mmCIF file of all heavy atoms in Angstrom:
data_model
loop_
_atom_site.group_PDB
_atom_site.id
_atom_site.type_symbol
_atom_site.label_atom_id
_atom_site.label_comp_id
_atom_site.label_asym_id
_atom_site.label_seq_id
_atom_site.Cartn_x
_atom_site.Cartn_y
_atom_site.Cartn_z
ATOM 1 N N GLN A 13 -9.011 -48.642 -7.590
ATOM 2 C CA GLN A 13 -9.548 -47.775 -6.527
ATOM 3 C C GLN A 13 -8.449 -47.308 -5.596
ATOM 4 O O GLN A 13 -8.394 -46.187 -5.163
ATOM 5 C CB GLN A 13 -10.656 -48.498 -5.733
ATOM 6 C CG GLN A 13 -11.935 -48.802 -6.529
ATOM 7 C CD GLN A 13 -12.618 -47.517 -7.021
ATOM 8 O OE1 GLN A 13 -12.605 -46.517 -6.299
ATOM 9 N NE2 GLN A 13 -13.133 -47.575 -8.242
ATOM 10 N N GLU A 14 -7.529 -48.220 -5.264
ATOM 11 C CA GLU A 14 -6.411 -47.915 -4.401
ATOM 12 C C GLU A 14 -5.519 -46.816 -5.046
ATOM 13 O O GLU A 14 -5.081 -45.865 -4.378
ATOM 14 C CB GLU A 14 -5.578 -49.168 -4.074
ATOM 15 C CG GLU A 14 -6.329 -50.193 -3.182
ATOM 16 C CD GLU A 14 -5.484 -51.495 -3.042
ATOM 17 O OE1 GLU A 14 -4.451 -51.548 -3.732
ATOM 18 O OE2 GLU A 14 -5.922 -52.315 -2.278
ATOM 19 N N LEU A 15 -5.266 -46.959 -6.356
ATOM 20 C CA LEU A 15 -4.429 -45.964 -7.073
ATOM 21 C C LEU A 15 -5.111 -44.620 -7.103
ATOM 22 O O LEU A 15 -4.453 -43.571 -6.990
ATOM 23 C CB LEU A 15 -4.109 -46.483 -8.472
ATOM 24 C CG LEU A 15 -3.169 -47.705 -8.523
ATOM 25 C CD1 LEU A 15 -3.057 -48.187 -9.987
ATOM 26 C CD2 LEU A 15 -1.784 -47.310 -7.977
ATOM 27 N N LYS A 16 -6.450 -44.601 -7.338
ATOM 28 C CA LYS A 16 -7.172 -43.331 -7.369
ATOM 29 C C LYS A 16 -7.112 -42.633 -6.004
ATOM 30 O O LYS A 16 -6.936 -41.401 -5.929
ATOM 31 C CB LYS A 16 -8.618 -43.573 -7.793
ATOM 32 C CG LYS A 16 -8.808 -43.938 -9.275
ATOM 33 C CD LYS A 16 -10.260 -44.124 -9.597
ATOM 34 C CE LYS A 16 -10.395 -44.510 -11.097
ATOM 35 N NZ LYS A 16 -11.838 -44.752 -11.476
ATOM 36 N N ILE A 17 -7.302 -43.413 -4.967
ATOM 37 C CA ILE A 17 -7.247 -42.851 -3.590
ATOM 38 C C ILE A 17 -5.865 -42.310 -3.330
ATOM 39 O O ILE A 17 -5.709 -41.184 -2.775
ATOM 40 C CB ILE A 17 -7.632 -43.910 -2.564
ATOM 41 C CG1 ILE A 17 -9.124 -44.271 -2.716
ATOM 42 C CG2 ILE A 17 -7.399 -43.405 -1.149
ATOM 43 C CD1 ILE A 17 -9.580 -45.412 -1.857
ATOM 44 N N LYS A 18 -4.810 -43.044 -3.707
ATOM 45 C CA LYS A 18 -3.462 -42.571 -3.495
ATOM 46 C C LYS A 18 -3.205 -41.246 -4.298
ATOM 47 O O LYS A 18 -2.583 -40.328 -3.772
ATOM 48 C CB LYS A 18 -2.488 -43.669 -3.949
ATOM 49 C CG LYS A 18 -1.039 -43.323 -3.692
ATOM 50 C CD LYS A 18 -0.140 -44.466 -4.160
ATOM 51 C CE LYS A 18 1.336 -44.066 -3.923
ATOM 52 N NZ LYS A 18 2.284 -45.140 -4.388
ATOM 53 N N GLU A 19 -3.688 -41.238 -5.544
ATOM 54 C CA GLU A 19 -3.480 -40.029 -6.343
ATOM 55 C C GLU A 19 -4.183 -38.798 -5.699
ATOM 56 O O GLU A 19 -3.612 -37.710 -5.662
ATOM 57 C CB GLU A 19 -4.054 -40.284 -7.738
ATOM 58 C CG GLU A 19 -3.854 -39.080 -8.703
ATOM 59 C CD GLU A 19 -4.463 -39.333 -10.074
ATOM 60 O OE1 GLU A 19 -5.190 -40.330 -10.225
ATOM 61 O OE2 GLU A 19 -4.194 -38.517 -10.970
ATOM 62 N N LEU A 20 -5.407 -39.007 -5.177
ATOM 63 C CA LEU A 20 -6.104 -37.926 -4.544
ATOM 64 C C LEU A 20 -5.377 -37.451 -3.284
ATOM 65 O O LEU A 20 -5.266 -36.251 -3.036
ATOM 66 C CB LEU A 20 -7.540 -38.381 -4.193
ATOM 67 C CG LEU A 20 -8.411 -37.363 -3.430
ATOM 68 C CD1 LEU A 20 -8.608 -36.122 -4.305
ATOM 69 C CD2 LEU A 20 -9.760 -37.970 -3.083
ATOM 70 N N GLU A 21 -4.882 -38.428 -2.489
ATOM 71 C CA GLU A 21 -4.137 -38.048 -1.274
ATOM 72 C C GLU A 21 -2.899 -37.272 -1.576
ATOM 73 O O GLU A 21 -2.550 -36.292 -0.917
ATOM 74 C CB GLU A 21 -3.815 -39.321 -0.471
ATOM 75 C CG GLU A 21 -5.037 -40.018 0.144
ATOM 76 C CD GLU A 21 -4.665 -41.315 0.803
ATOM 77 O OE1 GLU A 21 -3.508 -41.805 0.544
ATOM 78 O OE2 GLU A 21 -5.475 -41.850 1.576
ATOM 79 N N GLU A 22 -2.197 -37.680 -2.653
ATOM 80 C CA GLU A 22 -0.936 -36.946 -3.031
ATOM 81 C C GLU A 22 -1.282 -35.542 -3.545
ATOM 82 O O GLU A 22 -0.588 -34.574 -3.257
ATOM 83 C CB GLU A 22 -0.244 -37.729 -4.141
ATOM 84 C CG GLU A 22 0.381 -39.029 -3.629
ATOM 85 C CD GLU A 22 1.021 -39.840 -4.766
ATOM 86 O OE1 GLU A 22 0.828 -39.434 -5.943
ATOM 87 O OE2 GLU A 22 1.765 -40.829 -4.486
ATOM 88 N N SER A 23 -2.442 -35.395 -4.275
ATOM 89 C CA SER A 23 -2.840 -34.119 -4.783
ATOM 90 C C SER A 23 -3.250 -33.222 -3.594
ATOM 91 O O SER A 23 -2.805 -31.978 -3.590
ATOM 92 C CB SER A 23 -4.025 -34.268 -5.732
ATOM 93 O OG SER A 23 -4.496 -32.994 -6.122
ATOM 94 N N VAL A 24 -3.961 -33.691 -2.661
ATOM 95 C CA VAL A 24 -4.352 -32.885 -1.510
ATOM 96 C C VAL A 24 -3.173 -32.466 -0.661
ATOM 97 O O VAL A 24 -3.031 -31.328 -0.235
ATOM 98 C CB VAL A 24 -5.356 -33.681 -0.621
ATOM 99 C CG1 VAL A 24 -5.583 -32.964 0.674
ATOM 100 C CG2 VAL A 24 -6.652 -33.887 -1.353
ATOM 101 N N ALA A 25 -2.172 -33.411 -0.531
ATOM 102 C CA ALA A 25 -0.990 -33.089 0.211
ATOM 103 C C ALA A 25 -0.176 -31.978 -0.458
ATOM 104 O O ALA A 25 0.410 -31.130 0.159
ATOM 105 C CB ALA A 25 -0.125 -34.364 0.376
ATOM 106 N N ALA A 26 -0.131 -32.029 -1.836
ATOM 107 C CA ALA A 26 0.608 -31.038 -2.553
ATOM 108 C C ALA A 26 -0.033 -29.662 -2.464
ATOM 109 O O ALA A 26 0.671 -28.614 -2.543
ATOM 110 C CB ALA A 26 0.763 -31.464 -4.021
ATOM 111 N N GLU A 27 -1.334 -29.608 -2.343
ATOM 112 C CA GLU A 27 -2.075 -28.344 -2.336
ATOM 113 C C GLU A 27 -2.355 -27.831 -0.924
ATOM 114 O O GLU A 27 -2.965 -26.799 -0.727
ATOM 115 C CB GLU A 27 -3.383 -28.482 -3.081
ATOM 116 C CG GLU A 27 -3.262 -28.787 -4.555
ATOM 117 C CD GLU A 27 -4.577 -29.005 -5.274
ATOM 118 O OE1 GLU A 27 -5.609 -28.890 -4.581
ATOM 119 O OE2 GLU A 27 -4.547 -29.301 -6.450
ATOM 120 N N ARG A 28 -1.907 -28.533 0.040
ATOM 121 C CA ARG A 28 -2.157 -28.150 1.449
ATOM 122 C C ARG A 28 -1.516 -26.785 1.737
ATOM 123 O O ARG A 28 -0.402 -26.514 1.318
ATOM 124 C CB ARG A 28 -1.677 -29.226 2.414
ATOM 125 C CG ARG A 28 -1.924 -28.854 3.856
ATOM 126 C CD ARG A 28 -1.518 -30.006 4.778
ATOM 127 N NE ARG A 28 -2.411 -31.127 4.642
ATOM 128 C CZ ARG A 28 -2.025 -32.386 4.511
ATOM 129 N NH1 ARG A 28 -0.720 -32.663 4.489
ATOM 130 N NH2 ARG A 28 -2.870 -33.371 4.348
ATOM 131 N N ILE A 29 -2.279 -25.890 2.393
ATOM 132 C CA ILE A 29 -1.808 -24.590 2.725
ATOM 133 C C ILE A 29 -1.191 -24.591 4.145
ATOM 134 O O ILE A 29 -1.857 -25.041 5.073
ATOM 135 C CB ILE A 29 -2.939 -23.549 2.666
ATOM 136 C CG1 ILE A 29 -3.448 -23.461 1.232
ATOM 137 C CG2 ILE A 29 -2.425 -22.160 3.126
ATOM 138 C CD1 ILE A 29 -4.651 -22.542 1.063
ATOM 139 N N ASP A 30 -0.013 -24.124 4.242
ATOM 140 C CA ASP A 30 0.636 -23.967 5.566
ATOM 141 C C ASP A 30 0.231 -22.627 6.155
ATOM 142 O O ASP A 30 0.708 -21.596 5.704
ATOM 143 C CB ASP A 30 2.131 -24.066 5.424
ATOM 144 C CG ASP A 30 2.835 -24.034 6.771
ATOM 145 O OD1 ASP A 30 2.160 -23.834 7.789
ATOM 146 O OD2 ASP A 30 4.108 -24.187 6.801
ATOM 147 N N ILE A 31 -0.740 -22.658 7.096
ATOM 148 C CA ILE A 31 -1.256 -21.377 7.626
ATOM 149 C C ILE A 31 -0.207 -20.659 8.438
ATOM 150 O O ILE A 31 -0.474 -19.503 8.842
ATOM 151 C CB ILE A 31 -2.504 -21.672 8.462
ATOM 152 C CG1 ILE A 31 -2.185 -22.574 9.635
ATOM 153 C CG2 ILE A 31 -3.638 -22.256 7.590
ATOM 154 C CD1 ILE A 31 -3.347 -22.775 10.600
ATOM 155 N N THR A 32 0.913 -21.279 8.721
ATOM 156 C CA THR A 32 1.949 -20.577 9.488
ATOM 157 C C THR A 32 2.846 -19.730 8.534
ATOM 158 O O THR A 32 3.662 -18.942 9.025
ATOM 159 C CB THR A 32 2.811 -21.552 10.287
ATOM 160 O OG1 THR A 32 3.537 -22.431 9.340
ATOM 161 C CG2 THR A 32 1.939 -22.394 11.178
ATOM 162 N N MET A 33 2.724 -19.957 7.201
ATOM 163 C CA MET A 33 3.557 -19.221 6.253
ATOM 164 C C MET A 33 3.013 -17.808 6.109
ATOM 165 O O MET A 33 1.812 -17.604 6.187
ATOM 166 C CB MET A 33 3.560 -19.915 4.894
ATOM 167 C CG MET A 33 4.297 -21.254 4.871
ATOM 168 S SD MET A 33 6.027 -21.051 4.863
ATOM 169 C CE MET A 33 6.319 -20.469 3.213
ATOM 170 N N PRO A 34 3.915 -16.805 5.856
ATOM 171 C CA PRO A 34 3.418 -15.446 5.625
ATOM 172 C C PRO A 34 2.596 -15.387 4.347
ATOM 173 O O PRO A 34 2.930 -16.014 3.338
ATOM 174 C CB PRO A 34 4.708 -14.631 5.533
ATOM 175 C CG PRO A 34 5.754 -15.619 5.173
ATOM 176 C CD PRO A 34 5.351 -16.886 5.805
ATOM 177 N N GLY A 35 1.514 -14.590 4.330
ATOM 178 C CA GLY A 35 0.642 -14.461 3.184
ATOM 179 C C GLY A 35 1.262 -13.560 2.093
ATOM 180 O O GLY A 35 2.251 -12.921 2.269
ATOM 181 N N ILE A 36 0.640 -13.624 0.896
ATOM 182 C CA ILE A 36 1.013 -12.777 -0.198
ATOM 183 C C ILE A 36 0.187 -11.497 -0.174
ATOM 184 O O ILE A 36 -1.058 -11.584 -0.310
ATOM 185 C CB ILE A 36 0.847 -13.503 -1.551
ATOM 186 C CG1 ILE A 36 1.726 -14.792 -1.559
ATOM 187 C CG2 ILE A 36 1.190 -12.609 -2.701
ATOM 188 C CD1 ILE A 36 1.499 -15.634 -2.790
ATOM 189 N N ARG A 37 0.795 -10.376 0.053
ATOM 190 C CA ARG A 37 0.061 -9.149 0.161
ATOM 191 C C ARG A 37 -0.460 -8.682 -1.186
ATOM 192 O O ARG A 37 0.352 -8.503 -2.094
ATOM 193 C CB ARG A 37 0.949 -8.040 0.780
ATOM 194 C CG ARG A 37 0.205 -6.741 1.127
ATOM 195 C CD ARG A 37 1.131 -5.734 1.691
ATOM 196 N NE ARG A 37 1.696 -6.186 2.964
ATOM 197 C CZ ARG A 37 1.105 -6.100 4.128
ATOM 198 N NH1 ARG A 37 -0.115 -5.544 4.182
ATOM 199 N NH2 ARG A 37 1.674 -6.519 5.218
ATOM 200 N N PRO A 38 -1.765 -8.464 -1.366
ATOM 201 C CA PRO A 38 -2.269 -8.027 -2.654
ATOM 202 C C PRO A 38 -1.842 -6.541 -2.879
ATOM 203 O O PRO A 38 -1.599 -5.816 -1.925
ATOM 204 C CB PRO A 38 -3.790 -8.121 -2.503
ATOM 205 C CG PRO A 38 -4.016 -8.001 -1.008
ATOM 206 C CD PRO A 38 -2.821 -8.658 -0.360
ATOM 207 N N PRO A 39 -1.766 -6.176 -4.163
ATOM 208 C CA PRO A 39 -1.391 -4.756 -4.446
ATOM 209 C C PRO A 39 -2.443 -3.813 -3.888
ATOM 210 O O PRO A 39 -3.645 -4.081 -3.988
ATOM 211 C CB PRO A 39 -1.358 -4.715 -5.987
ATOM 212 C CG PRO A 39 -2.207 -5.864 -6.422
ATOM 213 C CD PRO A 39 -2.017 -6.922 -5.417
ATOM 214 N N ARG A 40 -1.975 -2.719 -3.318
ATOM 215 C CA ARG A 40 -2.903 -1.740 -2.708
ATOM 216 C C ARG A 40 -3.380 -0.730 -3.766
ATOM 217 O O ARG A 40 -2.568 -0.200 -4.488
ATOM 218 C CB ARG A 40 -2.184 -1.015 -1.562
ATOM 219 C CG ARG A 40 -3.141 -0.168 -0.742
ATOM 220 C CD ARG A 40 -2.435 0.438 0.461
ATOM 221 N NE ARG A 40 -1.546 1.507 0.031
ATOM 222 C CZ ARG A 40 -0.917 2.296 0.889
ATOM 223 N NH1 ARG A 40 -1.008 2.086 2.168
ATOM 224 N NH2 ARG A 40 -0.114 3.287 0.453
ATOM 225 N N ALA A 41 -4.654 -0.493 -3.756
ATOM 226 C CA ALA A 41 -5.218 0.491 -4.702
ATOM 227 C C ALA A 41 -4.857 1.877 -4.281
ATOM 228 O O ALA A 41 -4.528 2.130 -3.101
ATOM 229 C CB ALA A 41 -6.743 0.353 -4.808
ATOM 230 N N GLN A 42 -4.877 2.829 -5.245
ATOM 231 C CA GLN A 42 -4.589 4.193 -4.942
ATOM 232 C C GLN A 42 -5.299 5.101 -5.917
ATOM 233 O O GLN A 42 -5.860 4.656 -6.924
ATOM 234 C CB GLN A 42 -3.083 4.467 -5.034
ATOM 235 C CG GLN A 42 -2.477 4.097 -6.374
ATOM 236 C CD GLN A 42 -1.016 3.811 -6.285
ATOM 237 O OE1 GLN A 42 -0.482 3.548 -5.247
ATOM 238 N NE2 GLN A 42 -0.323 3.882 -7.415
ATOM 239 N N PHE A 43 -5.353 6.392 -5.614
ATOM 240 C CA PHE A 43 -6.045 7.332 -6.487
ATOM 241 C C PHE A 43 -5.267 7.562 -7.811
ATOM 242 O O PHE A 43 -4.030 7.621 -7.787
ATOM 243 C CB PHE A 43 -6.237 8.669 -5.810
ATOM 244 C CG PHE A 43 -7.313 8.678 -4.748
ATOM 245 C CD1 PHE A 43 -7.027 8.709 -3.381
ATOM 246 C CD2 PHE A 43 -8.640 8.590 -5.140
ATOM 247 C CE1 PHE A 43 -8.030 8.696 -2.426
ATOM 248 C CE2 PHE A 43 -9.695 8.612 -4.198
ATOM 249 C CZ PHE A 43 -9.348 8.643 -2.844
ATOM 250 N N HIS A 44 -6.026 7.667 -8.852
ATOM 251 C CA HIS A 44 -5.446 7.981 -10.169
ATOM 252 C C HIS A 44 -4.778 9.345 -10.068
ATOM 253 O O HIS A 44 -5.249 10.249 -9.347
ATOM 254 C CB HIS A 44 -6.575 7.992 -11.220
ATOM 255 C CG HIS A 44 -6.087 8.011 -12.643
ATOM 256 N ND1 HIS A 44 -5.668 9.204 -13.226
ATOM 257 C CD2 HIS A 44 -5.991 7.062 -13.569
ATOM 258 C CE1 HIS A 44 -5.322 8.970 -14.490
ATOM 259 N NE2 HIS A 44 -5.505 7.648 -14.724
ATOM 260 N N PRO A 45 -3.635 9.538 -10.827
ATOM 261 C CA PRO A 45 -2.944 10.845 -10.723
ATOM 262 C C PRO A 45 -3.836 12.024 -11.101
ATOM 263 O O PRO A 45 -3.690 13.136 -10.538
ATOM 264 C CB PRO A 45 -1.756 10.692 -11.679
ATOM 265 C CG PRO A 45 -2.094 9.457 -12.535
ATOM 266 C CD PRO A 45 -2.910 8.574 -11.639
ATOM 267 N N ILE A 46 -4.776 11.854 -12.025
ATOM 268 C CA ILE A 46 -5.680 12.930 -12.381
ATOM 269 C C ILE A 46 -6.562 13.287 -11.157
ATOM 270 O O ILE A 46 -6.782 14.468 -10.829
ATOM 271 C CB ILE A 46 -6.582 12.550 -13.581
ATOM 272 C CG1 ILE A 46 -5.716 12.405 -14.809
ATOM 273 C CG2 ILE A 46 -7.682 13.589 -13.794
ATOM 274 C CD1 ILE A 46 -4.982 13.670 -15.238
ATOM 275 N N ASN A 47 -7.066 12.270 -10.486
ATOM 276 C CA ASN A 47 -7.882 12.515 -9.279
ATOM 277 C C ASN A 47 -7.065 13.145 -8.185
ATOM 278 O O ASN A 47 -7.572 13.986 -7.406
ATOM 279 C CB ASN A 47 -8.524 11.186 -8.812
ATOM 280 C CG ASN A 47 -9.720 10.772 -9.620
ATOM 281 O OD1 ASN A 47 -10.303 11.619 -10.274
ATOM 282 N ND2 ASN A 47 -10.014 9.453 -9.605
ATOM 283 N N GLN A 48 -5.797 12.776 -8.071
ATOM 284 C CA GLN A 48 -4.928 13.313 -7.061
ATOM 285 C C GLN A 48 -4.752 14.869 -7.277
ATOM 286 O O GLN A 48 -4.913 15.674 -6.365
ATOM 287 C CB GLN A 48 -3.574 12.650 -7.033
ATOM 288 C CG GLN A 48 -3.606 11.211 -6.573
ATOM 289 C CD GLN A 48 -2.211 10.624 -6.433
ATOM 290 O OE1 GLN A 48 -1.293 11.285 -6.020
ATOM 291 N NE2 GLN A 48 -2.091 9.363 -6.818
ATOM 292 N N VAL A 49 -4.444 15.200 -8.540
ATOM 293 C CA VAL A 49 -4.222 16.623 -8.845
ATOM 294 C C VAL A 49 -5.544 17.409 -8.747
ATOM 295 O O VAL A 49 -5.594 18.542 -8.222
ATOM 296 C CB VAL A 49 -3.620 16.777 -10.272
ATOM 297 C CG1 VAL A 49 -3.503 18.234 -10.664
ATOM 298 C CG2 VAL A 49 -2.227 16.124 -10.307
ATOM 299 N N LEU A 50 -6.634 16.802 -9.192
ATOM 300 C CA LEU A 50 -7.958 17.426 -9.127
ATOM 301 C C LEU A 50 -8.305 17.716 -7.709
ATOM 302 O O LEU A 50 -8.829 18.811 -7.344
ATOM 303 C CB LEU A 50 -9.022 16.575 -9.811
ATOM 304 C CG LEU A 50 -10.403 17.152 -9.941
ATOM 305 C CD1 LEU A 50 -10.421 18.441 -10.651
ATOM 306 C CD2 LEU A 50 -11.360 16.138 -10.601
ATOM 307 N N GLN A 51 -8.093 16.757 -6.812
ATOM 308 C CA GLN A 51 -8.404 16.963 -5.410
ATOM 309 C C GLN A 51 -7.542 18.052 -4.795
ATOM 310 O O GLN A 51 -8.012 18.849 -3.995
ATOM 311 C CB GLN A 51 -8.202 15.638 -4.613
ATOM 312 C CG GLN A 51 -8.656 15.699 -3.179
ATOM 313 C CD GLN A 51 -10.098 16.023 -3.036
ATOM 314 O OE1 GLN A 51 -10.940 15.341 -3.628
ATOM 315 N NE2 GLN A 51 -10.410 17.050 -2.255
ATOM 316 N N GLU A 52 -6.293 18.109 -5.193
ATOM 317 C CA GLU A 52 -5.349 19.125 -4.702
ATOM 318 C C GLU A 52 -5.834 20.526 -5.148
ATOM 319 O O GLU A 52 -5.827 21.485 -4.369
ATOM 320 C CB GLU A 52 -3.932 18.857 -5.193
ATOM 321 C CG GLU A 52 -2.918 19.761 -4.511
ATOM 322 C CD GLU A 52 -1.460 19.358 -4.911
ATOM 323 O OE1 GLU A 52 -1.302 18.339 -5.638
ATOM 324 O OE2 GLU A 52 -0.535 20.072 -4.482
ATOM 325 N N ILE A 53 -6.243 20.621 -6.446
ATOM 326 C CA ILE A 53 -6.742 21.925 -6.927
ATOM 327 C C ILE A 53 -8.010 22.303 -6.138
ATOM 328 O O ILE A 53 -8.142 23.514 -5.713
ATOM 329 C CB ILE A 53 -7.087 21.818 -8.433
ATOM 330 C CG1 ILE A 53 -5.801 21.586 -9.234
ATOM 331 C CG2 ILE A 53 -7.831 23.058 -8.914
ATOM 332 C CD1 ILE A 53 -6.052 21.275 -10.695
ATOM 333 N N ASN A 54 -8.951 21.369 -5.951
ATOM 334 C CA ASN A 54 -10.164 21.685 -5.200
ATOM 335 C C ASN A 54 -9.840 22.154 -3.802
ATOM 336 O O ASN A 54 -10.432 23.159 -3.317
ATOM 337 C CB ASN A 54 -11.053 20.422 -5.144
ATOM 338 C CG ASN A 54 -11.673 20.081 -6.493
ATOM 339 O OD1 ASN A 54 -11.636 20.885 -7.416
ATOM 340 N ND2 ASN A 54 -12.216 18.899 -6.599
ATOM 341 N N ASP A 55 -8.917 21.470 -3.125
ATOM 342 C CA ASP A 55 -8.577 21.839 -1.773
ATOM 343 C C ASP A 55 -7.996 23.241 -1.705
ATOM 344 O O ASP A 55 -8.267 24.012 -0.776
ATOM 345 C CB ASP A 55 -7.553 20.840 -1.217
ATOM 346 C CG ASP A 55 -8.169 19.458 -0.943
ATOM 347 O OD1 ASP A 55 -9.414 19.379 -0.929
ATOM 348 O OD2 ASP A 55 -7.401 18.505 -0.780
ATOM 349 N N ILE A 56 -7.168 23.605 -2.658
ATOM 350 C CA ILE A 56 -6.559 24.957 -2.673
ATOM 351 C C ILE A 56 -7.646 26.024 -2.768
ATOM 352 O O ILE A 56 -7.640 27.010 -1.984
ATOM 353 C CB ILE A 56 -5.565 25.057 -3.845
ATOM 354 C CG1 ILE A 56 -4.305 24.216 -3.562
ATOM 355 C CG2 ILE A 56 -5.126 26.538 -3.997
ATOM 356 C CD1 ILE A 56 -3.354 24.101 -4.764
ATOM 357 N N PHE A 57 -8.563 25.867 -3.715
ATOM 358 C CA PHE A 57 -9.594 26.907 -3.904
ATOM 359 C C PHE A 57 -10.632 26.886 -2.762
ATOM 360 O O PHE A 57 -11.113 27.960 -2.389
ATOM 361 C CB PHE A 57 -10.272 26.758 -5.252
ATOM 362 C CG PHE A 57 -9.401 27.261 -6.396
ATOM 363 C CD1 PHE A 57 -8.860 26.351 -7.307
ATOM 364 C CD2 PHE A 57 -9.149 28.572 -6.536
ATOM 365 C CE1 PHE A 57 -8.052 26.827 -8.328
ATOM 366 C CE2 PHE A 57 -8.354 29.071 -7.575
ATOM 367 C CZ PHE A 57 -7.817 28.162 -8.469
ATOM 368 N N VAL A 58 -10.955 25.721 -2.255
ATOM 369 C CA VAL A 58 -11.901 25.660 -1.094
ATOM 370 C C VAL A 58 -11.310 26.400 0.076
ATOM 371 O O VAL A 58 -11.962 27.081 0.831
ATOM 372 C CB VAL A 58 -12.216 24.197 -0.768
ATOM 373 C CG1 VAL A 58 -12.961 24.089 0.570
ATOM 374 C CG2 VAL A 58 -13.101 23.615 -1.858
ATOM 375 N N SER A 59 -9.949 26.251 0.260
ATOM 376 C CA SER A 59 -9.326 26.953 1.372
ATOM 377 C C SER A 59 -9.387 28.450 1.209
ATOM 378 O O SER A 59 -9.203 29.222 2.166
ATOM 379 C CB SER A 59 -7.851 26.496 1.488
ATOM 380 O OG SER A 59 -7.066 27.015 0.413
ATOM 381 N N MET A 60 -9.580 28.934 -0.019
ATOM 382 C CA MET A 60 -9.695 30.367 -0.277
ATOM 383 C C MET A 60 -11.138 30.852 -0.150
ATOM 384 O O MET A 60 -11.415 32.075 -0.291
ATOM 385 C CB MET A 60 -9.213 30.693 -1.677
ATOM 386 C CG MET A 60 -7.799 30.457 -1.943
ATOM 387 S SD MET A 60 -7.356 30.985 -3.675
ATOM 388 C CE MET A 60 -5.671 30.327 -3.842
#
């Protein structure tokens, strides 16, 4: 039981998150190039 408790404590210590560390920024989504060009075409003709 002592060894199991020690193993759990070591595992928790290894996985502990330091909330003062900077986070990992997830990749930012963006419009597909087809949608970008399609929107640009629409905007041009709507402006006319």
Side-chain angles (χ1 to χ4, degrees):
Q13 293 298 324
E14 292 174 354
L15 291 175
K16 288 181 180 180
I17 293 173
K18 183 179 179 182
E19 181 182 11
L20 179 61
E21 291 175 347
E22 290 177 350
S23 175
V24 171
E27 296 176 2
R28 180 175 293 134
I29 298 175
D30 184 355
I31 61 173
T32 65
M33 291 284 288
I36 300 174
R37 187 180 298 276
R40 190 176 73 174
Q42 56 202 21
F43 284 108
H44 191 280
I46 294 299
N47 283 336
Q48 292 185 39
V49 174
L50 184 58
Q51 186 61 54
E52 190 173 356
I53 293 170
N54 290 346
D55 290 344
I56 291 172
F57 284 110
V58 168
S59 71
M60 296 183 189

